[in-house]
Amino acid sequence: MVGQASLSGSGTVHTLFDFTKTDHVNNWTEYSDTVRSTGMSKAALVIQKSQIIQRAILFTLFVPKMSGSGFAGIRTETNFDLREYHYIAIKCRGQGVNFKYKMVLRHKGLGKDSAVYGQVFTVIESEFSVLKLSLDDFKPYFRGLPVSPEANPLDTSAITNIGIKIDNGPYLPENQSGVSVLEIDWIKALK
């Protein structure tokens, strides 16, 4: 379940990434459709810092193929045990042409030949909000196709990769070619 929420009264909160307090985003790497010869999309995560604010900015240039498929995103290696938590919350806002993103998780150190667990969320244009993504609602996909959740359950005790991306195709048909920005203050796990 994706929902807008407040963190007051949420129980235990574990900060996964707080971009308001760190200048370090070098451990986030781009993962876009340019891994394929026909890909043309681009993503970059940078820190925006002024005298009064600091946050991460995910810039995406989404250039889907003629079929409409493509993706532009970033990811980072992690080592999180989230089995005591129920949600991942993200404080963010959007600008540009696209407002639908997908958060993706990998577990147990498994790489590109294994399932990725994804959940779509919609950001609000030009207004910061806290979105809660239920860990139960991350569904497994292999190369863009859904796979059986019963045969491939997400192991929340061993989250080893987190990513955010814009993509298209049958799951996000609303996303269009163009430039989008996702401003992120933090990402937290909630009970």
Side-chain angles (χ1 to χ4, degrees), residues 65-94:
K65 296 188 292 187
M66 294 295 283
S67 66
S69 65
F71 58 96
I74 46 96
R75 63 185 176 187
T76 188
E77 300 299 316
T78 62
N79 187 19
F80 296 130
D81 180 349
L82 302 181
R83 71 185 130 185
E84 298 296 321
Y85 297 89
H86 301 100
Y87 301 94
I88 293 180
I90 180 170
K91 183 177 181 186
C92 60
R93 73 175 169 189

PDB file of all heavy atoms in Angstrom, residues 65-94:
ATOM      1  N   LYS A  65      12.187   3.574 -25.939  1.00  0.00           N
ATOM      2  CA  LYS A  65      12.256   3.065 -27.309  1.00  0.00           C
ATOM      3  C   LYS A  65      10.904   3.259 -27.986  1.00  0.00           C
ATOM      4  O   LYS A  65       9.918   3.633 -27.347  1.00  0.00           O
ATOM      5  CB  LYS A  65      12.631   1.579 -27.294  1.00  0.00           C
ATOM      6  CG  LYS A  65      14.012   1.311 -26.740  1.00  0.00           C
ATOM      7  CD  LYS A  65      14.430  -0.119 -26.918  1.00  0.00           C
ATOM      8  CE  LYS A  65      13.617  -1.063 -26.073  1.00  0.00           C
ATOM      9  NZ  LYS A  65      14.106  -2.443 -26.105  1.00  0.00           N
ATOM     10  N   MET A  66      10.825   2.964 -29.274  1.00  0.00           N
ATOM     11  CA  MET A  66       9.577   3.089 -30.017  1.00  0.00           C
ATOM     12  C   MET A  66       8.463   2.256 -29.385  1.00  0.00           C
ATOM     13  O   MET A  66       7.302   2.632 -29.415  1.00  0.00           O
ATOM     14  CB  MET A  66       9.772   2.666 -31.479  1.00  0.00           C
ATOM     15  CG  MET A  66      10.698   3.593 -32.262  1.00  0.00           C
ATOM     16  SD  MET A  66      10.038   5.243 -32.434  1.00  0.00           S
ATOM     17  CE  MET A  66       8.822   4.960 -33.710  1.00  0.00           C
ATOM     18  N   SER A  67       8.814   1.145 -28.756  1.00  0.00           N
ATOM     19  CA  SER A  67       7.816   0.295 -28.099  1.00  0.00           C
ATOM     20  C   SER A  67       7.295   0.920 -26.810  1.00  0.00           C
ATOM     21  O   SER A  67       6.326   0.442 -26.226  1.00  0.00           O
ATOM     22  CB  SER A  67       8.432  -1.069 -27.774  1.00  0.00           C
ATOM     23  OG  SER A  67       9.451  -0.910 -26.797  1.00  0.00           O
ATOM     24  N   GLY A  68       7.947   1.986 -26.334  1.00  0.00           N
ATOM     25  CA  GLY A  68       7.568   2.631 -25.084  1.00  0.00           C
ATOM     26  C   GLY A  68       8.366   2.158 -23.897  1.00  0.00           C
ATOM     27  O   GLY A  68       8.290   2.733 -22.817  1.00  0.00           O
ATOM     28  N   SER A  69       9.163   1.105 -24.053  1.00  0.00           N
ATOM     29  CA  SER A  69       9.913   0.581 -22.916  1.00  0.00           C
ATOM     30  C   SER A  69      11.229   1.334 -22.738  1.00  0.00           C
ATOM     31  O   SER A  69      11.801   1.859 -23.682  1.00  0.00           O
ATOM     32  CB  SER A  69      10.179  -0.912 -23.084  1.00  0.00           C
ATOM     33  OG  SER A  69      11.023  -1.135 -24.188  1.00  0.00           O
ATOM     34  N   GLY A  70      11.677   1.357 -21.515  1.00  0.00           N
ATOM     35  CA  GLY A  70      12.928   2.005 -21.153  1.00  0.00           C
ATOM     36  C   GLY A  70      12.941   2.280 -19.662  1.00  0.00           C
ATOM     37  O   GLY A  70      11.923   2.129 -18.989  1.00  0.00           O
ATOM     38  N   PHE A  71      14.082   2.713 -19.151  1.00  0.00           N
ATOM     39  CA  PHE A  71      14.169   3.049 -17.727  1.00  0.00           C
ATOM     40  C   PHE A  71      15.380   3.929 -17.472  1.00  0.00           C
ATOM     41  O   PHE A  71      16.372   3.888 -18.204  1.00  0.00           O
ATOM     42  CB  PHE A  71      14.204   1.796 -16.851  1.00  0.00           C
ATOM     43  CG  PHE A  71      15.341   0.852 -17.151  1.00  0.00           C
ATOM     44  CD1 PHE A  71      16.516   0.888 -16.428  1.00  0.00           C
ATOM     45  CD2 PHE A  71      15.223  -0.091 -18.163  1.00  0.00           C
ATOM     46  CE1 PHE A  71      17.556   0.003 -16.700  1.00  0.00           C
ATOM     47  CE2 PHE A  71      16.251  -0.979 -18.446  1.00  0.00           C
ATOM     48  CZ  PHE A  71      17.422  -0.926 -17.708  1.00  0.00           C
ATOM     49  N   ALA A  72      15.258   4.756 -16.427  1.00  0.00           N
ATOM     50  CA  ALA A  72      16.349   5.619 -15.976  1.00  0.00           C
ATOM     51  C   ALA A  72      16.313   5.626 -14.463  1.00  0.00           C
ATOM     52  O   ALA A  72      15.305   5.998 -13.864  1.00  0.00           O
ATOM     53  CB  ALA A  72      16.183   7.031 -16.525  1.00  0.00           C
ATOM     54  N   GLY A  73      17.403   5.175 -13.841  1.00  0.00           N
ATOM     55  CA  GLY A  73      17.377   5.102 -12.391  1.00  0.00           C
ATOM     56  C   GLY A  73      18.745   5.041 -11.759  1.00  0.00           C
ATOM     57  O   GLY A  73      19.776   5.062 -12.429  1.00  0.00           O
ATOM     58  N   ILE A  74      18.708   4.974 -10.428  1.00  0.00           N
ATOM     59  CA  ILE A  74      19.922   4.888  -9.616  1.00  0.00           C
ATOM     60  C   ILE A  74      19.709   3.799  -8.570  1.00  0.00           C
ATOM     61  O   ILE A  74      18.579   3.436  -8.251  1.00  0.00           O
ATOM     62  CB  ILE A  74      20.264   6.240  -8.940  1.00  0.00           C
ATOM     63  CG1 ILE A  74      19.023   6.901  -8.290  1.00  0.00           C
ATOM     64  CG2 ILE A  74      20.830   7.215  -9.949  1.00  0.00           C
ATOM     65  CD1 ILE A  74      18.874   6.641  -6.868  1.00  0.00           C
ATOM     66  N   ARG A  75      20.830   3.278  -8.038  1.00  0.00           N
ATOM     67  CA  ARG A  75      20.744   2.248  -7.007  1.00  0.00           C
ATOM     68  C   ARG A  75      21.999   2.271  -6.157  1.00  0.00           C
ATOM     69  O   ARG A  75      23.028   2.828  -6.556  1.00  0.00           O
ATOM     70  CB  ARG A  75      20.520   0.879  -7.627  1.00  0.00           C
ATOM     71  CG  ARG A  75      21.647   0.418  -8.517  1.00  0.00           C
ATOM     72  CD  ARG A  75      21.306  -0.889  -9.184  1.00  0.00           C
ATOM     73  NE  ARG A  75      22.356  -1.278 -10.114  1.00  0.00           N
ATOM     74  CZ  ARG A  75      22.266  -2.299 -10.928  1.00  0.00           C
ATOM     75  NH1 ARG A  75      21.179  -3.033 -10.946  1.00  0.00           N
ATOM     76  NH2 ARG A  75      23.251  -2.605 -11.740  1.00  0.00           N
ATOM     77  N   THR A  76      21.916   1.627  -4.994  1.00  0.00           N
ATOM     78  CA  THR A  76      23.059   1.548  -4.100  1.00  0.00           C
ATOM     79  C   THR A  76      23.052   0.214  -3.363  1.00  0.00           C
ATOM     80  O   THR A  76      21.984  -0.343  -3.090  1.00  0.00           O
ATOM     81  CB  THR A  76      23.086   2.716  -3.082  1.00  0.00           C
ATOM     82  OG1 THR A  76      24.308   2.691  -2.349  1.00  0.00           O
ATOM     83  CG2 THR A  76      21.914   2.659  -2.126  1.00  0.00           C
ATOM     84  N   GLU A  77      24.236  -0.272  -3.055  1.00  0.00           N
ATOM     85  CA  GLU A  77      24.371  -1.490  -2.264  1.00  0.00           C
ATOM     86  C   GLU A  77      24.073  -1.150  -0.801  1.00  0.00           C
ATOM     87  O   GLU A  77      24.437  -0.076  -0.322  1.00  0.00           O
ATOM     88  CB  GLU A  77      25.785  -2.059  -2.389  1.00  0.00           C
ATOM     89  CG  GLU A  77      26.189  -2.423  -3.809  1.00  0.00           C
ATOM     90  CD  GLU A  77      25.299  -3.488  -4.427  1.00  0.00           C
ATOM     91  OE1 GLU A  77      24.974  -4.479  -3.739  1.00  0.00           O
ATOM     92  OE2 GLU A  77      24.917  -3.327  -5.593  1.00  0.00           O
ATOM     93  N   THR A  78      23.391  -2.063  -0.111  1.00  0.00           N
ATOM     94  CA  THR A  78      23.012  -1.840   1.282  1.00  0.00           C
ATOM     95  C   THR A  78      23.247  -3.117   2.083  1.00  0.00           C
ATOM     96  O   THR A  78      23.598  -4.153   1.526  1.00  0.00           O
ATOM     97  CB  THR A  78      21.514  -1.458   1.393  1.00  0.00           C
ATOM     98  OG1 THR A  78      20.728  -2.545   0.910  1.00  0.00           O
ATOM     99  CG2 THR A  78      21.193  -0.209   0.609  1.00  0.00           C
ATOM    100  N   ASN A  79      22.979  -3.023   3.359  1.00  0.00           N
ATOM    101  CA  ASN A  79      23.007  -4.189   4.238  1.00  0.00           C
ATOM    102  C   ASN A  79      21.997  -3.935   5.351  1.00  0.00           C
ATOM    103  O   ASN A  79      22.373  -3.672   6.487  1.00  0.00           O
ATOM    104  CB  ASN A  79      24.411  -4.401   4.799  1.00  0.00           C
ATOM    105  CG  ASN A  79      24.513  -5.695   5.582  1.00  0.00           C
ATOM    106  OD1 ASN A  79      23.687  -6.584   5.438  1.00  0.00           O
ATOM    107  ND2 ASN A  79      25.517  -5.783   6.435  1.00  0.00           N
ATOM    108  N   PHE A  80      20.698  -3.996   5.007  1.00  0.00           N
ATOM    109  CA  PHE A  80      19.637  -3.672   5.955  1.00  0.00           C
ATOM    110  C   PHE A  80      18.848  -4.917   6.341  1.00  0.00           C
ATOM    111  O   PHE A  80      18.444  -5.692   5.482  1.00  0.00           O
ATOM    112  CB  PHE A  80      18.659  -2.650   5.368  1.00  0.00           C
ATOM    113  CG  PHE A  80      19.277  -1.301   5.077  1.00  0.00           C
ATOM    114  CD1 PHE A  80      19.089  -0.708   3.836  1.00  0.00           C
ATOM    115  CD2 PHE A  80      20.008  -0.631   6.031  1.00  0.00           C
ATOM    116  CE1 PHE A  80      19.637   0.530   3.564  1.00  0.00           C
ATOM    117  CE2 PHE A  80      20.566   0.614   5.767  1.00  0.00           C
ATOM    118  CZ  PHE A  80      20.370   1.186   4.530  1.00  0.00           C
ATOM    119  N   ASP A  81      18.619  -5.053   7.641  1.00  0.00           N
ATOM    120  CA  ASP A  81      17.705  -6.063   8.162  1.00  0.00           C
ATOM    121  C   ASP A  81      16.408  -5.335   8.500  1.00  0.00           C
ATOM    122  O   ASP A  81      16.333  -4.621   9.503  1.00  0.00           O
ATOM    123  CB  ASP A  81      18.300  -6.726   9.406  1.00  0.00           C
ATOM    124  CG  ASP A  81      17.390  -7.787  10.006  1.00  0.00           C
ATOM    125  OD1 ASP A  81      16.211  -7.879   9.595  1.00  0.00           O
ATOM    126  OD2 ASP A  81      17.852  -8.512  10.908  1.00  0.00           O
ATOM    127  N   LEU A  82      15.383  -5.498   7.670  1.00  0.00           N
ATOM    128  CA  LEU A  82      14.119  -4.777   7.842  1.00  0.00           C
ATOM    129  C   LEU A  82      12.976  -5.695   8.275  1.00  0.00           C
ATOM    130  O   LEU A  82      11.816  -5.318   8.169  1.00  0.00           O
ATOM    131  CB  LEU A  82      13.756  -4.051   6.536  1.00  0.00           C
ATOM    132  CG  LEU A  82      14.775  -3.047   6.012  1.00  0.00           C
ATOM    133  CD1 LEU A  82      14.269  -2.391   4.740  1.00  0.00           C
ATOM    134  CD2 LEU A  82      15.127  -2.014   7.067  1.00  0.00           C
ATOM    135  N   ARG A  83      13.290  -6.870   8.789  1.00  0.00           N
ATOM    136  CA  ARG A  83      12.217  -7.813   9.119  1.00  0.00           C
ATOM    137  C   ARG A  83      11.326  -7.315  10.258  1.00  0.00           C
ATOM    138  O   ARG A  83      10.193  -7.764  10.384  1.00  0.00           O
ATOM    139  CB  ARG A  83      12.762  -9.193   9.399  1.00  0.00           C
ATOM    140  CG  ARG A  83      13.512  -9.323  10.679  1.00  0.00           C
ATOM    141  CD  ARG A  83      14.129 -10.676  10.846  1.00  0.00           C
ATOM    142  NE  ARG A  83      15.525 -10.419  11.199  1.00  0.00           N
ATOM    143  CZ  ARG A  83      16.427 -11.340  11.338  1.00  0.00           C
ATOM    144  NH1 ARG A  83      16.124 -12.596  11.133  1.00  0.00           N
ATOM    145  NH2 ARG A  83      17.650 -11.022  11.667  1.00  0.00           N
ATOM    146  N   GLU A  84      11.786  -6.368  11.071  1.00  0.00           N
ATOM    147  CA  GLU A  84      10.965  -5.814  12.152  1.00  0.00           C
ATOM    148  C   GLU A  84      10.153  -4.598  11.690  1.00  0.00           C
ATOM    149  O   GLU A  84       9.450  -3.993  12.499  1.00  0.00           O
ATOM    150  CB  GLU A  84      11.851  -5.419  13.337  1.00  0.00           C
ATOM    151  CG  GLU A  84      12.605  -6.580  13.952  1.00  0.00           C
ATOM    152  CD  GLU A  84      11.673  -7.614  14.580  1.00  0.00           C
ATOM    153  OE1 GLU A  84      10.668  -7.213  15.204  1.00  0.00           O
ATOM    154  OE2 GLU A  84      11.950  -8.822  14.437  1.00  0.00           O
ATOM    155  N   TYR A  85      10.266  -4.243  10.411  1.00  0.00           N
ATOM    156  CA  TYR A  85       9.606  -3.041   9.899  1.00  0.00           C
ATOM    157  C   TYR A  85       8.514  -3.411   8.903  1.00  0.00           C
ATOM    158  O   TYR A  85       8.524  -4.487   8.314  1.00  0.00           O
ATOM    159  CB  TYR A  85      10.635  -2.119   9.251  1.00  0.00           C
ATOM    160  CG  TYR A  85      11.653  -1.621  10.258  1.00  0.00           C
ATOM    161  CD1 TYR A  85      12.819  -2.341  10.508  1.00  0.00           C
ATOM    162  CD2 TYR A  85      11.418  -0.470  10.996  1.00  0.00           C
ATOM    163  CE1 TYR A  85      13.731  -1.913  11.457  1.00  0.00           C
ATOM    164  CE2 TYR A  85      12.323  -0.036  11.943  1.00  0.00           C
ATOM    165  CZ  TYR A  85      13.479  -0.759  12.182  1.00  0.00           C
ATOM    166  OH  TYR A  85      14.374  -0.335  13.117  1.00  0.00           O
ATOM    167  N   HIS A  86       7.571  -2.483   8.719  1.00  0.00           N
ATOM    168  CA  HIS A  86       6.436  -2.730   7.836  1.00  0.00           C
ATOM    169  C   HIS A  86       6.433  -1.852   6.596  1.00  0.00           C
ATOM    170  O   HIS A  86       5.789  -2.197   5.604  1.00  0.00           O
ATOM    171  CB  HIS A  86       5.118  -2.518   8.597  1.00  0.00           C
ATOM    172  CG  HIS A  86       4.992  -3.416   9.785  1.00  0.00           C
ATOM    173  ND1 HIS A  86       5.249  -2.991  11.065  1.00  0.00           N
ATOM    174  CD2 HIS A  86       4.672  -4.727   9.870  1.00  0.00           C
ATOM    175  CE1 HIS A  86       5.080  -4.002  11.905  1.00  0.00           C
ATOM    176  NE2 HIS A  86       4.735  -5.071  11.202  1.00  0.00           N
ATOM    177  N   TYR A  87       7.120  -0.713   6.645  1.00  0.00           N
ATOM    178  CA  TYR A  87       7.070   0.259   5.554  1.00  0.00           C
ATOM    179  C   TYR A  87       8.453   0.823   5.274  1.00  0.00           C
ATOM    180  O   TYR A  87       9.300   0.892   6.153  1.00  0.00           O
ATOM    181  CB  TYR A  87       6.169   1.453   5.914  1.00  0.00           C
ATOM    182  CG  TYR A  87       4.755   1.083   6.235  1.00  0.00           C
ATOM    183  CD1 TYR A  87       4.361   0.871   7.552  1.00  0.00           C
ATOM    184  CD2 TYR A  87       3.809   0.936   5.223  1.00  0.00           C
ATOM    185  CE1 TYR A  87       3.053   0.521   7.858  1.00  0.00           C
ATOM    186  CE2 TYR A  87       2.497   0.591   5.527  1.00  0.00           C
ATOM    187  CZ  TYR A  87       2.133   0.386   6.844  1.00  0.00           C
ATOM    188  OH  TYR A  87       0.847   0.040   7.138  1.00  0.00           O
ATOM    189  N   ILE A  88       8.628   1.277   4.040  1.00  0.00           N
ATOM    190  CA  ILE A  88       9.704   2.196   3.700  1.00  0.00           C
ATOM    191  C   ILE A  88       9.021   3.517   3.387  1.00  0.00           C
ATOM    192  O   ILE A  88       8.080   3.566   2.581  1.00  0.00           O
ATOM    193  CB  ILE A  88      10.534   1.709   2.501  1.00  0.00           C
ATOM    194  CG1 ILE A  88      11.306   0.448   2.875  1.00  0.00           C
ATOM    195  CG2 ILE A  88      11.490   2.810   2.039  1.00  0.00           C
ATOM    196  CD1 ILE A  88      12.155  -0.128   1.768  1.00  0.00           C
ATOM    197  N   ALA A  89       9.455   4.577   4.048  1.00  0.00           N
ATOM    198  CA  ALA A  89       8.886   5.912   3.839  1.00  0.00           C
ATOM    199  C   ALA A  89       9.914   6.774   3.139  1.00  0.00           C
ATOM    200  O   ALA A  89      11.119   6.664   3.393  1.00  0.00           O
ATOM    201  CB  ALA A  89       8.481   6.539   5.172  1.00  0.00           C
ATOM    202  N   ILE A  90       9.432   7.636   2.247  1.00  0.00           N
ATOM    203  CA  ILE A  90      10.313   8.547   1.524  1.00  0.00           C
ATOM    204  C   ILE A  90       9.688   9.935   1.554  1.00  0.00           C
ATOM    205  O   ILE A  90       8.501  10.093   1.242  1.00  0.00           O
ATOM    206  CB  ILE A  90      10.569   8.054   0.076  1.00  0.00           C
ATOM    207  CG1 ILE A  90      11.487   9.001  -0.691  1.00  0.00           C
ATOM    208  CG2 ILE A  90       9.280   7.796  -0.668  1.00  0.00           C
ATOM    209  CD1 ILE A  90      11.972   8.471  -2.026  1.00  0.00           C
ATOM    210  N   LYS A  91      10.474  10.924   1.983  1.00  0.00           N
ATOM    211  CA  LYS A  91      10.017  12.313   1.955  1.00  0.00           C
ATOM    212  C   LYS A  91      10.561  12.934   0.672  1.00  0.00           C
ATOM    213  O   LYS A  91      11.784  13.038   0.497  1.00  0.00           O
ATOM    214  CB  LYS A  91      10.497  13.095   3.167  1.00  0.00           C
ATOM    215  CG  LYS A  91       9.952  14.524   3.183  1.00  0.00           C
ATOM    216  CD  LYS A  91      10.357  15.288   4.417  1.00  0.00           C
ATOM    217  CE  LYS A  91       9.762  16.695   4.358  1.00  0.00           C
ATOM    218  NZ  LYS A  91      10.252  17.500   5.486  1.00  0.00           N
ATOM    219  N   CYS A  92       9.637  13.340  -0.216  1.00  0.00           N
ATOM    220  CA  CYS A  92      10.060  13.773  -1.541  1.00  0.00           C
ATOM    221  C   CYS A  92       9.020  14.668  -2.193  1.00  0.00           C
ATOM    222  O   CYS A  92       7.903  14.816  -1.696  1.00  0.00           O
ATOM    223  CB  CYS A  92      10.332  12.558  -2.429  1.00  0.00           C
ATOM    224  SG  CYS A  92       8.882  11.498  -2.655  1.00  0.00           S
ATOM    225  N   ARG A  93       9.405  15.242  -3.314  1.00  0.00           N
ATOM    226  CA  ARG A  93       8.468  15.941  -4.199  1.00  0.00           C
ATOM    227  C   ARG A  93       8.991  15.830  -5.617  1.00  0.00           C
ATOM    228  O   ARG A  93      10.171  15.573  -5.839  1.00  0.00           O
ATOM    229  CB  ARG A  93       8.264  17.396  -3.795  1.00  0.00           C
ATOM    230  CG  ARG A  93       9.418  18.313  -4.095  1.00  0.00           C
ATOM    231  CD  ARG A  93       9.074  19.747  -3.762  1.00  0.00           C
ATOM    232  NE  ARG A  93      10.275  20.578  -3.812  1.00  0.00           N
ATOM    233  CZ  ARG A  93      10.316  21.824  -3.403  1.00  0.00           C
ATOM    234  NH1 ARG A  93       9.236  22.401  -2.905  1.00  0.00           N
ATOM    235  NH2 ARG A  93      11.436  22.514  -3.485  1.00  0.00           N
ATOM    236  N   GLY A  94       8.096  16.026  -6.588  1.00  0.00           N
ATOM    237  CA  GLY A  94       8.470  15.864  -7.984  1.00  0.00           C
ATOM    238  C   GLY A  94       8.305  17.135  -8.789  1.00  0.00           C
ATOM    239  O   GLY A  94       7.541  18.027  -8.423  1.00  0.00           O
TER     240      GLY A  94
END
